[in-house]
Amino acid sequence: MTQLLFLVVFGEAFVAFLLMVKIGPLRELVMKCLDQVKMRKGTVLTIAGTMSVILFSNWISIVKIQNKGAKIGTMTPMDQVLWRTHLLEASLMGFSLYLGFLIDRMHHHLRKLINLRKNGGSSKQEIEKLNKEKTELQENEQKAKEEIVRLKKEISNLTENLQKIKLESKKKDAQVETAEAHVTSLQKQSADLLLEYDRLLEDNQLLQAKVLSYRG
């Protein structure tokens, strides 16, 4: 029993050492083995519970031997051997349980650290992706600004052209109005001239009639 406990303690100490010090791929191998062991949580708890019961039984035996020695004033050689054996076994079991708890906590924190590093790597990739998207958005924004400036310039040119066209249209309208007024004036002058022509024609006819009457 004692030899087995020594082997267990040395084994646990070696596992704890491998978890603390990274030696090639041994830490990863130990982590994988512990992952498999933790998947059988019921078995681990059963072993730990059994060792706790045996530890408690050893302590009870130690107390009984001490009480027996106290009653008779001394311990017999057999009781001394049993007391030392139980004390050694109890110490080894307690140390084994402590190492088991220590290994469990180390495994837990190392696994957490590994996951954090993985997440950190993925987070770094996400940040790089976001920075790339940010750069693309800035480039698109710059292009949009340039396009807006170009459109504003085109709108300004079109507005100027429209104003010119409006001014030219107003000038042409004024020219048309002037021409229409001139035509109206010419039409009036033509009408007046026709009236004057008709009057002169009548006067001429009257004069001719008078000349003919004088000749007759």
Side-chain angles (χ1 to χ4, degrees), residues 85-110:
T85 302
H86 288 308
L87 181 62
L88 180 60
E89 290 178 354
S91 299
L92 290 173
M93 285 184 187
F95 192 55
S96 175
L97 290 172
Y98 171 75
L99 284 176
F101 175 76
L102 184 64
I103 290 170
D104 176 69
R105 290 296 86 197
M106 289 174 66
H107 172 264
H108 173 74
H109 291 298
L110 284 172

PDB file of all heavy atoms in Angstrom, residues 85-110:
ATOM      1  N   THR A  85       3.062   3.539  10.312  1.00  0.00           N
ATOM      2  CA  THR A  85       2.539   3.130   8.993  1.00  0.00           C
ATOM      3  C   THR A  85       1.299   3.932   8.624  1.00  0.00           C
ATOM      4  O   THR A  85       1.181   4.455   7.503  1.00  0.00           O
ATOM      5  CB  THR A  85       2.210   1.633   8.993  1.00  0.00           C
ATOM      6  OG1 THR A  85       3.381   0.883   9.317  1.00  0.00           O
ATOM      7  CG2 THR A  85       1.705   1.206   7.620  1.00  0.00           C
ATOM      8  N   HIS A  86       0.348   4.002   9.586  1.00  0.00           N
ATOM      9  CA  HIS A  86      -0.869   4.779   9.325  1.00  0.00           C
ATOM     10  C   HIS A  86      -0.558   6.258   9.090  1.00  0.00           C
ATOM     11  O   HIS A  86      -1.162   6.899   8.217  1.00  0.00           O
ATOM     12  CB  HIS A  86      -1.850   4.640  10.495  1.00  0.00           C
ATOM     13  CG  HIS A  86      -2.498   3.285  10.570  1.00  0.00           C
ATOM     14  ND1 HIS A  86      -3.134   2.700   9.503  1.00  0.00           N
ATOM     15  CD2 HIS A  86      -2.621   2.400  11.605  1.00  0.00           C
ATOM     16  CE1 HIS A  86      -3.617   1.510   9.855  1.00  0.00           C
ATOM     17  NE2 HIS A  86      -3.307   1.301  11.146  1.00  0.00           N
ATOM     18  N   LEU A  87       0.385   6.793   9.863  1.00  0.00           N
ATOM     19  CA  LEU A  87       0.755   8.197   9.705  1.00  0.00           C
ATOM     20  C   LEU A  87       1.380   8.441   8.337  1.00  0.00           C
ATOM     21  O   LEU A  87       1.072   9.436   7.663  1.00  0.00           O
ATOM     22  CB  LEU A  87       1.722   8.617  10.811  1.00  0.00           C
ATOM     23  CG  LEU A  87       2.165  10.089  10.779  1.00  0.00           C
ATOM     24  CD1 LEU A  87       0.970  11.010  10.957  1.00  0.00           C
ATOM     25  CD2 LEU A  87       3.214  10.341  11.862  1.00  0.00           C
ATOM     26  N   LEU A  88       2.268   7.523   7.905  1.00  0.00           N
ATOM     27  CA  LEU A  88       2.898   7.662   6.593  1.00  0.00           C
ATOM     28  C   LEU A  88       1.862   7.564   5.474  1.00  0.00           C
ATOM     29  O   LEU A  88       1.864   8.365   4.538  1.00  0.00           O
ATOM     30  CB  LEU A  88       3.971   6.591   6.420  1.00  0.00           C
ATOM     31  CG  LEU A  88       4.722   6.594   5.084  1.00  0.00           C
ATOM     32  CD1 LEU A  88       5.437   7.919   4.871  1.00  0.00           C
ATOM     33  CD2 LEU A  88       5.711   5.425   5.023  1.00  0.00           C
ATOM     34  N   GLU A  89       0.968   6.566   5.600  1.00  0.00           N
ATOM     35  CA  GLU A  89      -0.068   6.399   4.580  1.00  0.00           C
ATOM     36  C   GLU A  89      -0.996   7.613   4.544  1.00  0.00           C
ATOM     37  O   GLU A  89      -1.370   8.102   3.466  1.00  0.00           O
ATOM     38  CB  GLU A  89      -0.869   5.128   4.833  1.00  0.00           C
ATOM     39  CG  GLU A  89      -0.083   3.845   4.571  1.00  0.00           C
ATOM     40  CD  GLU A  89      -0.913   2.607   4.877  1.00  0.00           C
ATOM     41  OE1 GLU A  89      -2.048   2.773   5.392  1.00  0.00           O
ATOM     42  OE2 GLU A  89      -0.428   1.493   4.591  1.00  0.00           O
ATOM     43  N   ALA A  90      -1.378   8.108   5.734  1.00  0.00           N
ATOM     44  CA  ALA A  90      -2.259   9.279   5.783  1.00  0.00           C
ATOM     45  C   ALA A  90      -1.571  10.501   5.177  1.00  0.00           C
ATOM     46  O   ALA A  90      -2.180  11.288   4.427  1.00  0.00           O
ATOM     47  CB  ALA A  90      -2.674   9.564   7.222  1.00  0.00           C
ATOM     48  N   SER A  91      -0.276  10.657   5.469  1.00  0.00           N
ATOM     49  CA  SER A  91       0.463  11.794   4.913  1.00  0.00           C
ATOM     50  C   SER A  91       0.561  11.684   3.395  1.00  0.00           C
ATOM     51  O   SER A  91       0.371  12.668   2.668  1.00  0.00           O
ATOM     52  CB  SER A  91       1.863  11.849   5.525  1.00  0.00           C
ATOM     53  OG  SER A  91       1.786  12.018   6.932  1.00  0.00           O
ATOM     54  N   LEU A  92       0.866  10.470   2.918  1.00  0.00           N
ATOM     55  CA  LEU A  92       0.966  10.267   1.474  1.00  0.00           C
ATOM     56  C   LEU A  92      -0.379  10.494   0.784  1.00  0.00           C
ATOM     57  O   LEU A  92      -0.446  11.106  -0.297  1.00  0.00           O
ATOM     58  CB  LEU A  92       1.496   8.872   1.178  1.00  0.00           C
ATOM     59  CG  LEU A  92       2.978   8.623   1.533  1.00  0.00           C
ATOM     60  CD1 LEU A  92       3.321   7.150   1.352  1.00  0.00           C
ATOM     61  CD2 LEU A  92       3.886   9.490   0.655  1.00  0.00           C
ATOM     62  N   MET A  93      -1.462   9.990   1.400  1.00  0.00           N
ATOM     63  CA  MET A  93      -2.794  10.194   0.817  1.00  0.00           C
ATOM     64  C   MET A  93      -3.178  11.674   0.800  1.00  0.00           C
ATOM     65  O   MET A  93      -3.718  12.187  -0.185  1.00  0.00           O
ATOM     66  CB  MET A  93      -3.835   9.396   1.602  1.00  0.00           C
ATOM     67  CG  MET A  93      -3.808   7.911   1.336  1.00  0.00           C
ATOM     68  SD  MET A  93      -5.124   7.055   2.215  1.00  0.00           S
ATOM     69  CE  MET A  93      -4.689   5.364   1.880  1.00  0.00           C
ATOM     70  N   GLY A  94      -2.903  12.355   1.915  1.00  0.00           N
ATOM     71  CA  GLY A  94      -3.210  13.787   1.963  1.00  0.00           C
ATOM     72  C   GLY A  94      -2.417  14.559   0.926  1.00  0.00           C
ATOM     73  O   GLY A  94      -2.962  15.433   0.224  1.00  0.00           O
ATOM     74  N   PHE A  95      -1.123  14.221   0.804  1.00  0.00           N
ATOM     75  CA  PHE A  95      -0.287  14.886  -0.179  1.00  0.00           C
ATOM     76  C   PHE A  95      -0.734  14.548  -1.601  1.00  0.00           C
ATOM     77  O   PHE A  95      -0.713  15.392  -2.500  1.00  0.00           O
ATOM     78  CB  PHE A  95       1.168  14.499   0.028  1.00  0.00           C
ATOM     79  CG  PHE A  95       2.134  15.356  -0.743  1.00  0.00           C
ATOM     80  CD1 PHE A  95       2.133  16.739  -0.608  1.00  0.00           C
ATOM     81  CD2 PHE A  95       3.041  14.773  -1.613  1.00  0.00           C
ATOM     82  CE1 PHE A  95       3.025  17.522  -1.321  1.00  0.00           C
ATOM     83  CE2 PHE A  95       3.930  15.560  -2.325  1.00  0.00           C
ATOM     84  CZ  PHE A  95       3.926  16.934  -2.177  1.00  0.00           C
ATOM     85  N   SER A  96      -1.181  13.291  -1.794  1.00  0.00           N
ATOM     86  CA  SER A  96      -1.665  12.867  -3.103  1.00  0.00           C
ATOM     87  C   SER A  96      -2.934  13.627  -3.481  1.00  0.00           C
ATOM     88  O   SER A  96      -3.086  14.089  -4.618  1.00  0.00           O
ATOM     89  CB  SER A  96      -1.938  11.364  -3.106  1.00  0.00           C
ATOM     90  OG  SER A  96      -2.515  10.965  -4.334  1.00  0.00           O
ATOM     91  N   LEU A  97      -3.864  13.767  -2.507  1.00  0.00           N
ATOM     92  CA  LEU A  97      -5.085  14.531  -2.772  1.00  0.00           C
ATOM     93  C   LEU A  97      -4.763  16.002  -3.065  1.00  0.00           C
ATOM     94  O   LEU A  97      -5.364  16.624  -3.943  1.00  0.00           O
ATOM     95  CB  LEU A  97      -6.039  14.427  -1.579  1.00  0.00           C
ATOM     96  CG  LEU A  97      -6.680  13.047  -1.363  1.00  0.00           C
ATOM     97  CD1 LEU A  97      -7.441  13.025  -0.043  1.00  0.00           C
ATOM     98  CD2 LEU A  97      -7.617  12.706  -2.519  1.00  0.00           C
ATOM     99  N   TYR A  98      -3.792  16.538  -2.316  1.00  0.00           N
ATOM    100  CA  TYR A  98      -3.388  17.922  -2.551  1.00  0.00           C
ATOM    101  C   TYR A  98      -2.799  18.092  -3.955  1.00  0.00           C
ATOM    102  O   TYR A  98      -3.121  19.042  -4.680  1.00  0.00           O
ATOM    103  CB  TYR A  98      -2.376  18.357  -1.489  1.00  0.00           C
ATOM    104  CG  TYR A  98      -1.742  19.693  -1.790  1.00  0.00           C
ATOM    105  CD1 TYR A  98      -2.458  20.877  -1.605  1.00  0.00           C
ATOM    106  CD2 TYR A  98      -0.432  19.766  -2.265  1.00  0.00           C
ATOM    107  CE1 TYR A  98      -1.874  22.104  -1.901  1.00  0.00           C
ATOM    108  CE2 TYR A  98       0.149  20.991  -2.550  1.00  0.00           C
ATOM    109  CZ  TYR A  98      -0.570  22.150  -2.363  1.00  0.00           C
ATOM    110  OH  TYR A  98      -0.003  23.366  -2.651  1.00  0.00           O
ATOM    111  N   LEU A  99      -1.912  17.147  -4.345  1.00  0.00           N
ATOM    112  CA  LEU A  99      -1.327  17.212  -5.684  1.00  0.00           C
ATOM    113  C   LEU A  99      -2.396  17.050  -6.763  1.00  0.00           C
ATOM    114  O   LEU A  99      -2.341  17.699  -7.812  1.00  0.00           O
ATOM    115  CB  LEU A  99      -0.253  16.128  -5.849  1.00  0.00           C
ATOM    116  CG  LEU A  99       1.088  16.395  -5.158  1.00  0.00           C
ATOM    117  CD1 LEU A  99       2.001  15.186  -5.323  1.00  0.00           C
ATOM    118  CD2 LEU A  99       1.756  17.639  -5.754  1.00  0.00           C
ATOM    119  N   GLY A 100      -3.379  16.174  -6.494  1.00  0.00           N
ATOM    120  CA  GLY A 100      -4.470  15.995  -7.457  1.00  0.00           C
ATOM    121  C   GLY A 100      -5.258  17.291  -7.643  1.00  0.00           C
ATOM    122  O   GLY A 100      -5.584  17.688  -8.777  1.00  0.00           O
ATOM    123  N   PHE A 101      -5.557  17.966  -6.514  1.00  0.00           N
ATOM    124  CA  PHE A 101      -6.258  19.250  -6.591  1.00  0.00           C
ATOM    125  C   PHE A 101      -5.406  20.288  -7.315  1.00  0.00           C
ATOM    126  O   PHE A 101      -5.901  21.061  -8.142  1.00  0.00           O
ATOM    127  CB  PHE A 101      -6.594  19.728  -5.180  1.00  0.00           C
ATOM    128  CG  PHE A 101      -7.214  21.094  -5.141  1.00  0.00           C
ATOM    129  CD1 PHE A 101      -8.549  21.281  -5.501  1.00  0.00           C
ATOM    130  CD2 PHE A 101      -6.463  22.198  -4.764  1.00  0.00           C
ATOM    131  CE1 PHE A 101      -9.118  22.545  -5.474  1.00  0.00           C
ATOM    132  CE2 PHE A 101      -7.027  23.457  -4.740  1.00  0.00           C
ATOM    133  CZ  PHE A 101      -8.360  23.641  -5.086  1.00  0.00           C
ATOM    134  N   LEU A 102      -4.081  20.285  -7.013  1.00  0.00           N
ATOM    135  CA  LEU A 102      -3.170  21.226  -7.663  1.00  0.00           C
ATOM    136  C   LEU A 102      -3.107  20.987  -9.172  1.00  0.00           C
ATOM    137  O   LEU A 102      -3.159  21.935  -9.972  1.00  0.00           O
ATOM    138  CB  LEU A 102      -1.774  21.102  -7.044  1.00  0.00           C
ATOM    139  CG  LEU A 102      -0.703  22.078  -7.548  1.00  0.00           C
ATOM    140  CD1 LEU A 102      -1.085  23.505  -7.189  1.00  0.00           C
ATOM    141  CD2 LEU A 102       0.651  21.728  -6.972  1.00  0.00           C
ATOM    142  N   ILE A 103      -3.033  19.727  -9.571  1.00  0.00           N
ATOM    143  CA  ILE A 103      -3.001  19.382 -11.000  1.00  0.00           C
ATOM    144  C   ILE A 103      -4.296  19.808 -11.682  1.00  0.00           C
ATOM    145  O   ILE A 103      -4.292  20.336 -12.800  1.00  0.00           O
ATOM    146  CB  ILE A 103      -2.748  17.871 -11.182  1.00  0.00           C
ATOM    147  CG1 ILE A 103      -1.308  17.531 -10.788  1.00  0.00           C
ATOM    148  CG2 ILE A 103      -3.013  17.439 -12.622  1.00  0.00           C
ATOM    149  CD1 ILE A 103      -1.043  16.046 -10.697  1.00  0.00           C
ATOM    150  N   ASP A 104      -5.423  19.567 -10.998  1.00  0.00           N
ATOM    151  CA  ASP A 104      -6.716  19.960 -11.566  1.00  0.00           C
ATOM    152  C   ASP A 104      -6.775  21.462 -11.806  1.00  0.00           C
ATOM    153  O   ASP A 104      -7.209  21.931 -12.869  1.00  0.00           O
ATOM    154  CB  ASP A 104      -7.838  19.539 -10.615  1.00  0.00           C
ATOM    155  CG  ASP A 104      -9.201  20.002 -11.109  1.00  0.00           C
ATOM    156  OD1 ASP A 104      -9.671  19.464 -12.128  1.00  0.00           O
ATOM    157  OD2 ASP A 104      -9.792  20.907 -10.477  1.00  0.00           O
ATOM    158  N   ARG A 105      -6.311  22.256 -10.824  1.00  0.00           N
ATOM    159  CA  ARG A 105      -6.347  23.718 -10.977  1.00  0.00           C
ATOM    160  C   ARG A 105      -5.373  24.186 -12.068  1.00  0.00           C
ATOM    161  O   ARG A 105      -5.683  25.090 -12.857  1.00  0.00           O
ATOM    162  CB  ARG A 105      -5.983  24.389  -9.646  1.00  0.00           C
ATOM    163  CG  ARG A 105      -7.026  24.241  -8.551  1.00  0.00           C
ATOM    164  CD  ARG A 105      -8.344  24.926  -8.893  1.00  0.00           C
ATOM    165  NE  ARG A 105      -9.222  24.065  -9.682  1.00  0.00           N
ATOM    166  CZ  ARG A 105     -10.258  24.517 -10.377  1.00  0.00           C
ATOM    167  NH1 ARG A 105     -10.505  25.798 -10.432  1.00  0.00           N
ATOM    168  NH2 ARG A 105     -11.032  23.687 -11.037  1.00  0.00           N
ATOM    169  N   MET A 106      -4.189  23.568 -12.098  1.00  0.00           N
ATOM    170  CA  MET A 106      -3.216  23.940 -13.124  1.00  0.00           C
ATOM    171  C   MET A 106      -3.761  23.620 -14.511  1.00  0.00           C
ATOM    172  O   MET A 106      -3.626  24.423 -15.444  1.00  0.00           O
ATOM    173  CB  MET A 106      -1.892  23.211 -12.888  1.00  0.00           C
ATOM    174  CG  MET A 106      -1.130  23.706 -11.666  1.00  0.00           C
ATOM    175  SD  MET A 106       0.332  22.706 -11.324  1.00  0.00           S
ATOM    176  CE  MET A 106       1.324  23.063 -12.766  1.00  0.00           C
ATOM    177  N   HIS A 107      -4.362  22.456 -14.654  1.00  0.00           N
ATOM    178  CA  HIS A 107      -4.948  22.070 -15.937  1.00  0.00           C
ATOM    179  C   HIS A 107      -6.062  23.037 -16.332  1.00  0.00           C
ATOM    180  O   HIS A 107      -6.148  23.472 -17.494  1.00  0.00           O
ATOM    181  CB  HIS A 107      -5.497  20.641 -15.834  1.00  0.00           C
ATOM    182  CG  HIS A 107      -6.288  20.237 -17.045  1.00  0.00           C
ATOM    183  ND1 HIS A 107      -7.657  20.326 -17.097  1.00  0.00           N
ATOM    184  CD2 HIS A 107      -5.883  19.742 -18.247  1.00  0.00           C
ATOM    185  CE1 HIS A 107      -8.081  19.900 -18.269  1.00  0.00           C
ATOM    186  NE2 HIS A 107      -7.027  19.546 -18.989  1.00  0.00           N
ATOM    187  N   HIS A 108      -6.884  23.406 -15.373  1.00  0.00           N
ATOM    188  CA  HIS A 108      -7.985  24.327 -15.646  1.00  0.00           C
ATOM    189  C   HIS A 108      -7.467  25.678 -16.135  1.00  0.00           C
ATOM    190  O   HIS A 108      -7.934  26.217 -17.156  1.00  0.00           O
ATOM    191  CB  HIS A 108      -8.824  24.509 -14.370  1.00  0.00           C
ATOM    192  CG  HIS A 108      -9.871  25.567 -14.493  1.00  0.00           C
ATOM    193  ND1 HIS A 108     -11.025  25.395 -15.217  1.00  0.00           N
ATOM    194  CD2 HIS A 108      -9.921  26.836 -13.980  1.00  0.00           C
ATOM    195  CE1 HIS A 108     -11.759  26.506 -15.157  1.00  0.00           C
ATOM    196  NE2 HIS A 108     -11.119  27.388 -14.420  1.00  0.00           N
ATOM    197  N   HIS A 109      -6.485  26.226 -15.429  1.00  0.00           N
ATOM    198  CA  HIS A 109      -5.969  27.554 -15.794  1.00  0.00           C
ATOM    199  C   HIS A 109      -5.166  27.513 -17.093  1.00  0.00           C
ATOM    200  O   HIS A 109      -5.215  28.469 -17.886  1.00  0.00           O
ATOM    201  CB  HIS A 109      -5.116  28.115 -14.660  1.00  0.00           C
ATOM    202  CG  HIS A 109      -5.906  28.480 -13.433  1.00  0.00           C
ATOM    203  ND1 HIS A 109      -6.891  29.444 -13.438  1.00  0.00           N
ATOM    204  CD2 HIS A 109      -5.880  27.998 -12.162  1.00  0.00           C
ATOM    205  CE1 HIS A 109      -7.430  29.551 -12.233  1.00  0.00           C
ATOM    206  NE2 HIS A 109      -6.831  28.683 -11.440  1.00  0.00           N
ATOM    207  N   LEU A 110      -4.433  26.422 -17.319  1.00  0.00           N
ATOM    208  CA  LEU A 110      -3.698  26.302 -18.583  1.00  0.00           C
ATOM    209  C   LEU A 110      -4.650  26.197 -19.764  1.00  0.00           C
ATOM    210  O   LEU A 110      -4.420  26.807 -20.812  1.00  0.00           O
ATOM    211  CB  LEU A 110      -2.770  25.086 -18.541  1.00  0.00           C
ATOM    212  CG  LEU A 110      -1.485  25.243 -17.729  1.00  0.00           C
ATOM    213  CD1 LEU A 110      -0.764  23.910 -17.616  1.00  0.00           C
ATOM    214  CD2 LEU A 110      -0.565  26.283 -18.379  1.00  0.00           C
TER     215      LEU A 110
END
